[in-house]
DNA sequence: ATAAACTTTCAATAATTATTGAAAGTTTAA
DNA sequence: TTAAACTTTCAATAATTATTGAAAGTTTAT
């Protein structure tokens, strides 16, 4: 496999994987492109490489910046903006995990709390609703805590965690 | 909040959360409905409660069965099929984690392996592609291993894991 | 103040994904 | 074997989501 084929394969796989971490295809592809680029890219560069429109590029870049995954960089002598992504995979994973917790998991926990704390009217179905949503809330809470725990340990958090859990 | 409102809120929240664990809305809603039901439900019951068509119900139930989350149950004296879902949240989480690993994470690891093992032609961009996809492969591998580790400990895996990681 | 260089916005459109419903298929009972 | 009871399939359609492109907006240089 040659460079160009490998690059395209990586970008498209990472793009379709976007859903796994909750973002759209173009967003994931832009991030992938920046991730393997040796230098910051302009909007023009990105449009050309991925064959997507200016509007699409602009919107998705802004979202990536909003997620804290991409940053603008100033290239001296150049008027247009250039962009780069976090290059350290562990830092990247940390950022994504935190954002997903904030955007998706926390709101769900809130709903589960509301639902699980309705008045028990003594009927079987109400008891079941309360019991099951409470269990789900506890699980979600624990998973979220675990994820944040993992992700907040700086340096080699993954390796360390794996070792701890092996014992 | 009354029972009916709470139930609807739970089903719709869980439904829209479907994307987080990679399944569609109807599938997630059917699972949610079964999860808080005190007894197995028939296709008719599900169609009526969720106001979805027979075809949709049939297809999504099959998918849930395929995921190993829902099972058919025989109700004596009844000709039609009834369905129930895994009621234990920890077991449910275990099943989902395993399926996602198998369906999504493993195939991505494979692609990352292929891409990261292309021939190093000495150019900077090739070196960067290899380096970054290798790092991503290691991270993905580790996360997958960690997840499987967590999920394979029977009884109270989550609590135990949280405790271990706190140390 | 003007204009060139660049970015953002957003209504229109395209692409994708989910849903319907009716016909075909299957199982069971008599 | 027939027919009723039930489930599955799948082409058509609806709903949702992503993308375009051109007009409007912004910034910078002169």
């Amino acid at each position: 496999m040659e460079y160009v084929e490998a690059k395209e394969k990586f970008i498209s796989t990472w793009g379709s994987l976007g859903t796994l971490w909750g973002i759209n295809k173009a967003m994931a592809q832009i991030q992938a492109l920046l991730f393997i680029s040796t230098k910051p890219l302009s909007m023009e560069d990105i449009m050309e490489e991925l064959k997507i429109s200016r509007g699409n590029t602009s919107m998705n870049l802004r979202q990536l910046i909003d997620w804290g995954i991409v940053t603008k960089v100033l290239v001296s002598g150049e008027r247009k903006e250039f962009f780069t992504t976090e290059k350290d995979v562990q830092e990247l994973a940390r950022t994504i995990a935190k954002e997903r917790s904030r955007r998706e998991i926390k709101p769900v926990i809130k709903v589960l709390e509301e639902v699980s704390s309705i008045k028990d009217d003594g009927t079987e179905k109400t008891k079941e609703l309360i019991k099951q949503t409470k269990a789900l809330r506890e699980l979600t809470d624990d998973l979220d805590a675990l994820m944040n725990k993992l992700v907040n340990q700086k340096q080699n958090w993954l390796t360390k965690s794996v070792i701890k859990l092996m014992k």
Side-chain angles (χ1 to χ4, degrees), chain A residues 20 29 100 125 142:
Chain A
L20 203 148
Q29 290 192 149
R100 293 211 77 184
K125 61 187 190 179
D142 281 357

Side-chain angles (χ1 to χ4, degrees), chain A residues 93-158:
Chain A
R94 220 196 309 281
T95 305
I96 293 167
K98 278 185 181 158
E99 282 296 301
R100 293 211 77 184
S101 167
R102 185 175 71 78
R103 290 167 194 245
E104 292 169 285
I105 303 177
K106 295 286 199 298
V108 170
I109 291 175
K110 199 158 156 284
V111 172
L112 290 175
E113 257 161 18
E114 281 170 42
V115 171
S116 68
S117 59
I118 61 166
K119 194 170 97 276
D120 184 353
D121 63 9
T123 64
E124 197 192 354
K125 61 187 190 179
T126 301
K127 280 184 194 305
E128 184 72 2
L129 176 64
I130 292 172
K131 180 178 146 220
Q132 292 297 77
T133 52
K134 200 173 269 180
L136 218 41
R137 208 225 52 167
E138 278 160 19
L139 177 85
T140 312
D141 242 2
D142 281 357
L143 280 176
D144 189 53
L146 180 61
M147 195 173 82
N148 281 298
K149 199 88 222 164
L150 279 176
V151 134
N152 279 324
Q153 315 190 39
K154 288 270 164 186
Q155 285 199 323
N156 285 110
W157 52 278
L158 245 180

Side-chain angles (χ1 to χ4, degrees), chain A residues 68-113:
Chain A
I69 291 170
V70 163
T71 44
K72 283 187 190 177
V73 294
L74 291 166
V75 173
S76 57
E78 289 275 12
R79 175 127 161 219
K80 58 179 161 237
E81 296 174 321
F82 286 77
F83 303 89
T84 196
T85 191
E86 171 61 56
K87 286 279 185 163
D88 178 73
V89 286
Q90 304 224 351
E91 196 55 47
L92 189 62
R94 220 196 309 281
T95 305
I96 293 167
K98 278 185 181 158
E99 282 296 301
R100 293 211 77 184
S101 167
R102 185 175 71 78
R103 290 167 194 245
E104 292 169 285
I105 303 177
K106 295 286 199 298
V108 170
I109 291 175
K110 199 158 156 284
V111 172
L112 290 175
E113 257 161 18

